């Protein structure tokens, strides 16, 4: 038997409703099992991102609520701090409340990870997805 700790979390009602729908759709036995599965996926993603090394090129997609206090300014300031690895950005208005930034990056994986982590940590940021590749000509055959 595995040792278990009991925790308590607060979630927005809509987020929990959507999560419950997925739990039912996927046939989980309980919310706890679904949350454990989600945490495992989060840990795997974190370990993968932090294992990257060397020269990389890719995108960082950021969805955020532009009504949150100063989030737009903070995201812009962070991007200016990493101007040496940012090739270009694209700003998209998704709906009345949400925007998406697509940030094209090229440089050392460590700096790309730092940038991704800083963007992710900002209040008002809803989702961040990093996609990276090895620049052309360096892919093993």
């Amino acid at each position: 038997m595995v040792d278990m700790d009991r925790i308590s979390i607060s979630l927005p009602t809509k987020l929990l409703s959507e999560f419950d729908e997925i739990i039912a759709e996927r046939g989980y036995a309980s919310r706890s099992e679904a949350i454990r599965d989600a945490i495992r996926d989060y840990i795997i993603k974190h370990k993968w991102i932090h294992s990257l090394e060397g020269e990389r090129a890719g995108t960082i997609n950021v969805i955020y609520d532009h009504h949150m206090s100063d989030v737009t300014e903070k995201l812009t300031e962070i991007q200016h701090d990493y101007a040496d690895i940012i090739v270009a950005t694209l700003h998209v208005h998704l709906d009345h409340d949400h925007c998406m930034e697509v940030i094209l990056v090229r440089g050392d994986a460590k700096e790309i990870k730092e940038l991704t982590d800083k963007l992710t940590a900002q209040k008002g940021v809803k989702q961040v997805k990093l996609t990276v590749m090895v620049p052309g000509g360096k892919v093993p055959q």
Side-chain angles (χ1 to χ4, degrees):
M1 183 162 201
V2 178
D3 287 339
M4 295 275 186
D5 290 326
R6 186 174 297 263
I7 64 170
S8 176
I9 60 173
S10 299
L11 298 171
T13 302
K14 184 177 181 210
L15 181 63
L16 183 58
S17 294
E18 290 178 26
F19 192 64
D20 284 341
E21 288 175 19
I22 294 168
I23 290 169
E25 182 182 303
R26 295 195 60 197
Y28 281 102
S30 66
R31 272 187 187 158
S32 291
E33 186 54 42
I35 290 169
R36 284 190 291 270
D37 195 27
I39 290 171
R40 283 189 287 269
D41 283 347
Y42 184 84
I43 290 168
I44 288 167
K45 176 186 168 192
H46 178 81
K47 287 181 178 179
W48 173 78
I49 288 171
H50 288 275
S51 70
L52 296 174
E53 295 179 342
E55 178 81 8
R56 294 287 186 266
T59 61
I60 305 170
N61 300 314
V62 182
I63 295 177
Y64 63 96
D65 180 346
H66 72 92
H67 294 294
M68 291 297 293
S69 179
D70 298 331
V71 68
T72 304
E73 292 81 7
K74 288 178 183 175
L75 295 176
T76 300
E77 184 178 316
I78 292 167
Q79 290 177 55
H80 281 274
D81 291 342
Y82 288 85
D84 58 321
I85 63 167
I86 295 177
V87 177
T89 61
L90 171 67
H91 181 88
V92 180
H93 301 279
L94 298 175
D95 57 35
H96 179 57
D97 300 319
H98 299 94
C99 294
M100 179 170 68
E101 295 276 337
V102 179
I103 305 166
L104 303 176
V105 292
R106 182 172 185 162
D108 183 67
K110 181 181 176 196
E111 283 188 273
I112 293 171
K113 290 182 286 193
E114 287 175 5
L115 171 58
T116 303
D117 288 344
K118 286 184 179 180
L119 295 169
T120 301
Q122 299 308 302
K123 189 171 185 175
V125 170
K126 303 288 186 177
Q127 187 176 0
V128 176
K129 180 170 176 96
L130 170 64
T131 304
V132 293
M133 298 177 278
V134 177
K138 298 181 182 179
V139 179
Q141 298 299 321

